[in-house]
Amino acid sequence: MKINKEILKKAFTKLVTAKAMSELYEENFKVVSKYVHATSRGHEVIQIALGMQLLPQDYAFPYYRDDAMLLSVGMTPYDLMLQVLAKKDDPFSAGRTYYCHPSLRDDDKPKIPHQSSATGMQAIPATGVAMGIRYKESMRASDNKENNEGPSSTVDFSLESVDTRLRDNGFVVCSLGDASVTEGEIAEAFQMAALKQLPILYLVQDNGWDISANAAETRAQDAFEYARGFNGLEAITIDGTDFEESYTALQDVIKKIRTEHRPFLVHAKVPLLNHHTSGVRMEWYRDDLEEARSRDPFPKMWNLLLKNGFTETDLETIVATAEKEVAASLEKALKAEDPSPEDLFTNDFAPTPVTEEVGERAPKGAEKVVMVDCALFAIEELMAKHPECLLYGQDVGGRLGGVFREAATLAQKFGDHRVFNTPIQEAFIVGSTVGMSAVGLKPIVEVQFADYIWPGLNQLFTEVSRSCYLSNGKWPVSMILRVPIGAYGSGGPYHSSSMESVVSNIRGIKIAYPSNGADLKGLMKAAYYDPNPVVIFEHKGLYWSKVSGTKGATSIEPSEDYMLPFGKAWVLQEIWKQEEEETISIITYGMGVHWAMNASEELGLQDKIEIVDLRTLHPLDYETVFASVQKCGKCLVVTEEPSENSFSRALQGRIQEECFQYLDAPVMVIGSENMPAIPLNSVLEQTMIPSVEKVKAKIEQLLNY
């Protein structure tokens, strides 16, 4: 197929612009390289061939070497230079993140959610976008069917059910380097794209290098060969320096994705003609520079245009014009304003509409239910009201409804397309919420046990938590991650752990840890309407109140409209100020609330012990905590976690610092023993974790201090 002259001219203009930027950066290395950057030199053609074919309804995940792709979707050299210099008006992040780390939400350009530098991690959020697009199309097809035929009890989720006119809801491009394909998270993304037949294109730009390690050292096969192991993921390999081949191959692939909605991988061989980054210089380690330069796409493109009716003068004019624009853009960008110190403190979270407790916590005539049912009913109410609400994770589907029956009957009520099982892929479960949220869905996801959250922390920390801040507020991630946690019934070392200290060190997420069903339902509802990512720790030992002394976790089920804002602690057992008596404030959460309440009762000291249930660990209600400690004069923090280097130790230090002049004793902490794991044997388990008796002993120690 012959490519028309306007396309060729535009592509050549973008190529020489990207090339001129790369060369200008080198000429001004000391100025421009204050901050790390990489350029597309050698990769330009494949990037431009793709970028020129993207539409505003598409989603793109360009990577850190993709400045030519960004130029081809409509960004200007000045836009990119504002970012390379980390200026206040950087349109992607307002000076917060590296060059070519875009996040864009313009009406006239493809949507670009935030992604990090971490190698290959963008594949999961990108695949999450494709999964969201696929779900929304099935919703629209179902709505059309109901409108034409009346309500249906089942939803046909097959591709054939989707009206052709509804299919062009956009598709997703995920840009990758070939070295990234060795990452495990790439396999998770490919697996789901192939399994669910999602509308996504993985563009793999293979320049043969990681940083200083080359393909022969690090890869048993290239991305094209690797992709053939995923049934349903079609792959092609092309010369990414040849514009005709690249443009026509991508045109064919994109047409198939738009009409057939299935995943493709395009493996493009390209040379790396510039440094890995401005801080890692190619001459330090490269032994293939001459061979790489022999595949430079610039002279190939020059000759292609000469063969298609352009003159040498035409091309020289285009080059000169581009170089002039690039030089002027750098001069202007250097004079642009830097962020002010105050700019540091914006857009860590998007504003939430839930700031006050609303609805009935204990409606008259309502039944008392166990904690796990409060969560189940909250999600059922949300799903009934909001078609954009989905629940997915391991074993939450119709056959089981969750290993704790926390999703029982939901798949039967709302369909397998809204409540579904995933493979054993904690990283995908967590990271896909970035993409689902980006297309306007509200995912509620689960990991089966807190012990298995570790593979998902990469995505939670690097992609989920930082998206709002590093996109300067454009892409907050609205999601809920449910995490069953804590020791219960000899669960052993892989089903009993606490890790709130690790998660609470991740800035940019909110964390709930309720002690009873009413709080869990109220916080679940608040989390749903919060535009930010939320982790809810749910103690397994409180789910059914089968553990002795935990009947207080059962609750009258709150009303459907009940919501409990984050950052509001509850003085569960309140006392008055007693100048002549020894009194204690116990600060706790989760299972610790029940240990504290029972210890207080068994000691007969309910009028001497105030108990504050934090309910949320971030934001944390320091005002209520400090007021209680200042009133009582002594403080005990109760946690289930091993206490060394922990959330509870940090809270202890903060209380000590803020309330020092009011204290009659050091702030004390009781938690689990500081051993590597919780043993399976029940005697050892009970020796490891706190108990009512241990809390009683600590209270007496503190009272007698």
Side-chain angles (χ1 to χ4, degrees):
M1 183 189 108
K2 189 173 178 64
I3 301 173
N4 73 51
K5 289 187 69 173
E6 281 307 308
I7 290 175
L8 291 174
K9 181 179 179 181
K10 181 178 179 181
F12 183 74
T13 301
K14 300 302 180 186
L15 186 155
V16 296
T17 301
K19 178 174 178 287
M21 289 168 61
S22 178
E23 291 168 350
L24 189 64
Y25 292 165
E26 282 299 296
E27 291 169 15
N28 295 271
F29 178 76
K30 290 185 178 179
V31 174
V32 174
S33 294
K34 178 179 180 181
Y35 306 110
V36 174
H37 67 276
T39 71
S40 59
R41 190 71 189 93
H43 293 230
E44 300 98 334
V45 156
I46 186 64
Q47 293 180 19
I48 293 164
L50 176 60
M52 286 175 60
Q53 300 186 61
L54 298 180
L55 301 174
Q57 67 262 36
D58 299 328
Y59 286 77
F61 286 72
Y63 205 37
Y64 60 72
R65 199 176 302 285
D66 288 350
D67 55 7
M69 189 186 301
L70 292 172
L71 290 171
S72 69
V73 301
M75 303 308 291
T76 68
Y78 180 65
D79 292 329
L80 300 182
M81 288 171 180
L82 287 172
Q83 188 175 40
V84 82
L85 298 170
K87 295 295 186 176
K88 183 184 181 75
D89 291 332
D90 154 29
F92 302 135
S93 73
R96 292 175 174 176
T97 197
Y98 299 112
Y99 181 66
C100 247
H101 287 58
S103 52
L104 199 63
R105 209 164 188 166
D106 291 355
D107 291 339
D108 63 339
K109 299 180 184 70
K111 307 303 174 280
I112 305 179
H114 165 264
Q115 70 242 284
S116 72
S117 291
T119 304
M121 284 186 61
Q122 71 274 29
I124 286 178
T127 308
V129 170
M131 191 162 70
I133 289 173
R134 188 75 182 84
Y135 169 70
K136 290 178 75 173
E137 290 186 342
S138 73
M139 283 174 55
R140 293 168 65 189
S142 177
D143 288 345
N144 278 5
K145 187 174 182 180
E146 287 190 11
N147 290 338
N148 294 330
E149 303 175 12
S152 172
S153 59
T154 60
V155 175
D156 183 358
F157 197 44
S158 65
L159 180 63
E160 290 73 21
S161 72
V162 182
D163 189 300
T164 304
R165 291 169 299 173
L166 302 180
R167 291 184 191 171
D168 200 8
N169 201 24
F171 78 104
V172 186
V173 168
C174 177
S175 177
L176 299 161
D178 193 65
S180 70
V181 179
T182 59
E183 286 276 5
E185 292 185 9
I186 297 288
E188 294 192 20
F190 287 2
Q191 180 73 237
M192 284 298 284
L195 177 68
K196 299 289 187 180
Q197 287 296 281
L198 302 178
I200 186 166
L201 165 60
Y202 300 104
L203 174 66
V204 179
Q205 300 174 60
D206 182 1
N207 61 36
W209 289 92
D210 296 17
I211 297 180
S212 65
N214 62 31
E217 295 174 77
T218 58
R219 301 194 273 295
Q221 66 280 305
D222 65 27
F224 169 69
E225 295 162 333
Y226 182 62
R228 289 186 294 188
F230 295 88
N231 290 333
L233 174 60
E234 187 172 338
I236 63 171
T237 184
I238 62 174
D239 178 357
T241 68
D242 183 314
F243 183 76
E244 281 185 302
E245 181 180 349
S246 297
Y247 190 89
T248 55
L250 286 169
Q251 188 174 52
D252 180 60
V253 166
I254 290 170
K255 181 179 179 181
K256 287 177 179 176
I257 297 175
R258 291 195 191 281
T259 57
E260 301 173 19
H261 265 202
R262 57 190 178 94
F264 277 80
L265 182 144
V266 173
H267 171 251
K269 292 284 290 181
V270 292
L272 178 59
L273 299 181
N274 207 326
H275 312 289
H276 171 75
T277 65
S278 54
V280 182
R281 315 296 286 173
M282 57 187 174
E283 58 269 14
W284 295 347
Y285 60 90
R286 293 279 297 277
D287 55 9
D288 67 336
L289 291 175
E290 285 306 312
E291 187 279 330
R293 288 167 185 145
S294 72
R295 294 186 287 129
D296 188 341
F298 172 67
K300 290 185 177 183
M301 191 75 179
W302 182 283
N303 290 330
L304 176 63
L305 266 70
L306 291 178
K307 291 177 184 176
N308 281 271
F310 292 87
T311 67
E312 294 271 356
T313 302
D314 293 334
L315 302 186
E316 289 166 358
T317 299
I318 293 171
V319 170
T321 302
E323 290 175 346
K324 184 177 179 181
E325 181 192 5
V326 165
S329 296
L330 180 59
E331 186 177 345
K332 182 180 176 184
L334 286 167
K335 296 174 183 175
E337 184 182 0
D338 283 317
S340 64
E342 294 77 20
D343 293 327
L344 174 68
F345 302 102
T346 60
N347 293 311
D348 52 342
F349 289 104
T352 177
V354 184
T355 57
E356 299 293 335
E357 187 173 3
V358 297
E360 289 188 83
R361 183 180 176 88
K364 290 181 180 179
E367 294 185 6
K368 208 167 193 180
V369 297
V370 294
M371 189 169 170
V372 73
D373 283 347
C374 277
L376 174 64
F377 298 153
I379 294 175
E380 182 175 345
E381 290 166 358
L382 288 167
M383 295 192 80
K385 189 173 182 179
H386 301 286
E388 67 274 17
C389 178
L390 301 95
L391 175 68
Y392 58 93
Q394 295 162 28
D395 297 305
V396 302
R399 292 191 192 91
L400 187 60
V403 293
F404 301 104
R405 304 296 289 155
E406 75 281 5
T409 74
L410 292 179
Q412 289 85 349
K413 290 177 180 176
F414 300 106
D416 294 337
H417 63 304
R418 292 186 66 190
V419 181
F420 57 90
N421 294 326
T422 65
I424 302 171
Q425 294 185 342
E426 286 82 7
F428 186 88
I429 291 168
V430 174
S432 62
T433 65
V434 176
M436 296 289 262
S437 175
V439 298
L441 301 176
K442 180 72 184 203
I444 302 173
V445 298
E446 297 187 7
V447 295
Q448 280 192 344
F449 295 90
D451 305 74
Y452 301 146
I453 199 173
W454 304 113
L457 284 183
N458 209 6
Q459 289 286 330
L460 187 65
F461 174 78
T462 310
E463 307 297 334
V464 175
S465 72
R466 297 177 168 193
S467 182
C468 185
Y469 187 68
L470 292 182
S471 70
N472 200 29
K474 292 190 293 294
W475 294 103
V477 178
S478 187
M479 61 85 87
I480 300 171
L481 172 60
R482 298 181 66 188
V483 184
I485 195 170
Y488 165 62
S490 295
Y494 303 107
H495 299 81
S496 308
S497 301
S498 296
M499 64 273 305
E500 56 265 30
S501 293
V502 173
V503 177
S504 63
N505 261 292
I506 301 175
R507 318 291 184 242
I509 59 173
K510 297 185 178 183
I511 305 168
Y513 199 149
S515 67
N516 61 82
D519 283 357
L520 177 52
K521 184 173 183 181
L523 290 166
M524 184 81 73
K525 290 292 183 74
Y528 183 83
Y529 295 107
D530 196 311
N532 301 289
V534 174
V535 174
I536 302 182
F537 289 120
E538 304 172 20
H539 200 291
K540 305 187 301 291
L542 301 178
Y543 267 157
W544 302 281
S545 292
K546 290 182 179 179
V547 176
S548 177
T550 60
K551 289 297 180 186
T554 62
S555 306
I556 293 174
E557 187 193 352
S559 62
E560 182 175 348
D561 63 346
Y562 180 66
M563 286 191 286
L564 188 61
F566 277 60
K568 302 288 186 183
W570 182 20
V571 184
L572 183 59
Q573 180 169 289
E574 190 169 9
I575 65 172
W576 64 96
K577 187 172 179 64
Q578 301 167 59
E579 298 287 358
E580 305 303 321
E581 299 287 342
E582 295 292 318
T583 57
I584 295 177
S585 171
I586 296 182
I587 312 299
T588 187
Y589 55 93
M591 184 63 82
V593 170
H594 302 275
W595 290 324
M597 290 292 287
N598 292 324
S600 168
E601 182 180 358
E602 290 184 18
L603 289 169
L605 294 174
Q606 293 97 322
D607 60 343
K608 301 289 189 295
I609 297 175
E610 183 156 290
I611 298 174
V612 177
D613 182 353
L614 292 176
R615 301 200 284 204
T616 66
L617 308 187
H618 189 80
L620 196 149
D621 186 356
Y622 287 109
E623 183 179 349
T624 297
V625 169
F626 297 156
S628 178
V629 174
Q630 290 169 11
K631 179 203 300 184
C632 297
K634 292 183 177 180
C635 176
L636 174 64
V637 178
V638 179
T639 180
E640 186 172 322
E641 270 197 310
S643 59
E644 291 305 303
N645 306 311
S646 67
F647 167 82
S648 57
R649 287 293 184 195
L651 179 57
Q652 174 195 35
R654 183 75 184 271
I655 293 169
Q656 197 110 317
E657 181 180 339
E658 297 288 339
C659 303
F660 183 77
Q661 64 269 39
Y662 299 92
L663 293 172
D664 298 323
V667 177
M668 295 188 180
V669 175
I670 181 170
S672 290
E673 300 297 333
N674 292 290
M675 302 305 291
I678 298 176
L680 181 63
N681 179 272
S682 59
V683 173
L684 296 177
E685 179 188 62
Q686 291 306 307
T687 305
M688 173 84 173
I689 65 175
S691 64
V692 173
E693 290 303 315
K694 292 177 183 178
V695 173
K696 282 164 61 177
K698 200 72 174 179
I699 289 171
E700 290 176 327
Q701 177 190 351
L702 186 54
L703 282 173
N704 294 326
Y705 184 88

